[in-house]
Amino acid sequence: MSGTAMFKWGIAVVVAIAAIIGAFQSFEYLDAKQVMVIQYPSGTLKVFTQGGIYPQWFGTVTKYQKRDQFWFSSSKDQGKADDESIPIRFNDGGHAKISGSISWEMPADEKNLTALHVKYGSHRAIEQQLVRTVVQKSVYMTGPLMSSTESYAARRNELLNVVDDQIVNGVYKTEATTERTKDPMTGADKTITVVRLIKGPNGAYLRQDASPLEEYGIKVSNLSINEVKYDEKVEGQITQQQDAVMKVQTAVARAREAEQDAITVAKRGEADAAKAKW
C-alpha cells in the first residue's frame, strides 16, 4: 500500500473515531428516577426532569437522584460501613449518639434545581453539605430541651418529633436559664441549664431561621430513629433509675396485697362471729 493510501486510511479512521465520540457527546439518556443539569459550552444551564433522550451538544452532564435515603447510623449495614451516628448532649450533661435515617427528595422546579447545582454541584455534596448539616443542627438543638433520662423514657417520642419539626421548619428560638435541682439518684444538689422555647404573640414557637431545605424546595419525610446509644455514665444512671422504679412498683403491689389480705381477714372474722351468734 502506498504512502498516500495509508494517509487516506488514517484520515478515515480519525474521522470515524471523531464521529463516534461526537455521537456519544451529542445525546444523553435520562432515567425516570433522575433529574439532569447540562452546562453547554456557552455556559448556559439546562434542567431536565423527565426521563428520555436529550441533546447534549458536548455539554457537561450532572445527574441527581430524585429521591434518596440519608443514613446517619452506627450500623455497618445501614448507609456506610463507618459510624455516621450523630452526637447529642442533653441538659443534664449526658451524652449519646443517635442513629437513624430520613428520606429526601430533590425539587422539581428549574429555579431550585439550578440554584442547588450552582452551589453544590453534585448529589453527594447536597446530601453531605446540606441535608446532613440540617439534620445535625436539629439534633444538636434538641438535646438541651430535655435530660438524658427524659429522652430515654418519658419524652422519647417527643425527641423524634422535635428533631423532625426542626429539620422541616427550622430550629427553634430558645432562652436558657440555670436552675438548682436534686439528682434523682444521689439526692445531691446540682446546677443544670434549662432551655425553654420562645413563643410568639400567636402562641406558635419562634424559629431562629427557616430550614435551608425548605429554602431550596427539598422535601424530607419518614424520619426514623432506630437507636440512641448513651454513654456509660448515663446508661448506669438509667439502669439505677429503672431498678428504683421497679422496687417502688413492687413495694406498692405488696402494700396493696397486704391491705387486701387484711380486708379479707376482717370480713372472715365478721362472718365467723355472725355464725357463732346464730
Side-chain angles (χ1 to χ4, degrees):
M1 183 181 293
S2 66
T4 302
M6 291 182 63
F7 177 75
K8 289 181 179 179
W9 272 105
I11 293 296
V13 171
V14 170
V15 171
I17 293 174
I20 294 172
I21 294 174
F24 281 104
Q25 291 290 319
S26 296
F27 298 95
E28 183 68 28
Y29 173 74
L30 177 63
D31 189 275
K33 297 179 181 179
Q34 298 175 316
V35 296
M36 176 172 66
V37 179
I38 298 179
Q39 180 170 343
Y40 294 105
S42 63
T44 302
L45 294 175
K46 183 67 175 177
V47 174
F48 303 91
T49 59
Q50 301 297 322
I53 299 175
Y54 297 96
Q56 180 183 350
W57 306 132
F58 299 95
T60 302
V61 177
T62 306
K63 294 180 179 179
Y64 300 87
Q65 296 297 320
K66 286 184 177 179
R67 182 185 181 279
D68 204 353
Q69 190 83 356
F70 168 63
W71 290 95
F72 49 99
S73 178
S74 60
S75 299
K76 294 183 178 181
D77 60 344
Q78 296 178 335
K80 288 187 173 182
D82 300 329
D83 183 354
E84 294 191 310
S85 57
I86 298 175
I88 184 172
R89 184 178 188 275
F90 300 101
N91 62 19
D92 58 356
H95 293 78
K97 282 192 170 184
I98 292 182
S99 292
S101 65
I102 190 169
S103 300
W104 64 281
E105 298 179 20
M106 290 286 286
D109 63 290
E110 183 174 351
K111 179 182 177 182
N112 281 320
L113 283 171
T114 301
L116 284 167
H117 176 74
V118 170
K119 189 164 186 179
Y120 296 99
S122 71
H123 187 86
R124 176 164 174 78
I126 292 174
E127 181 182 76
Q128 292 298 312
Q129 298 175 25
L130 182 58
V131 177
R132 182 177 181 86
T133 300
V134 171
V135 174
Q136 284 178 322
K137 185 175 182 180
S138 299
V139 170
Y140 176 81
M141 296 297 292
T142 300
L145 300 178
M146 62 188 70
S147 68
S148 52
T149 51
E150 287 175 334
S151 73
Y152 182 85
R155 302 177 67 181
R156 191 178 185 87
N157 290 335
E158 186 180 347
L159 174 67
L160 174 65
N161 294 334
V162 172
V163 172
D164 186 40
D165 183 53
Q166 293 190 97
I167 291 173
V168 175
N169 300 307
V171 297
Y172 298 125
K173 183 175 288 188
T174 61
E175 57 182 2
T177 58
T178 56
E179 294 183 1
R180 294 288 293 174
T181 185
K182 288 187 178 297
D183 188 287
M185 299 309 304
T186 65
D189 291 334
K190 64 178 183 179
T191 301
I192 62 172
T193 300
V194 178
V195 176
R196 294 185 175 87
L197 306 181
I198 301 176
K199 290 185 177 181
N202 60 353
Y205 294 125
L206 299 179
R207 310 277 174 172
Q208 289 187 18
D209 45 43
S211 172
L213 301 181
E214 183 180 17
E215 177 185 347
Y216 286 105
I218 293 177
K219 297 179 181 179
V220 292
S221 61
N222 197 29
L223 173 66
S224 173
I225 294 178
N226 52 43
E227 182 186 37
V228 181
K229 188 175 182 180
Y230 299 90
D231 58 31
E232 293 183 2
K233 181 180 178 181
V234 175
E235 285 282 4
Q237 291 178 341
I238 291 172
T239 301
Q240 291 177 22
Q241 193 169 37
Q242 287 179 321
D243 290 343
V245 170
M246 287 298 296
K247 289 178 181 178
V248 170
Q249 291 176 342
T250 301
V252 170
R254 287 176 177 173
R256 288 177 178 173
E257 183 179 355
E259 182 180 353
Q260 187 61 46
D261 288 344
I263 293 173
T264 301
V265 170
K267 293 296 183 182
R268 186 180 297 121
E270 292 175 2
D272 290 344
K275 184 176 180 181
K277 180 178 179 182
W278 282 103

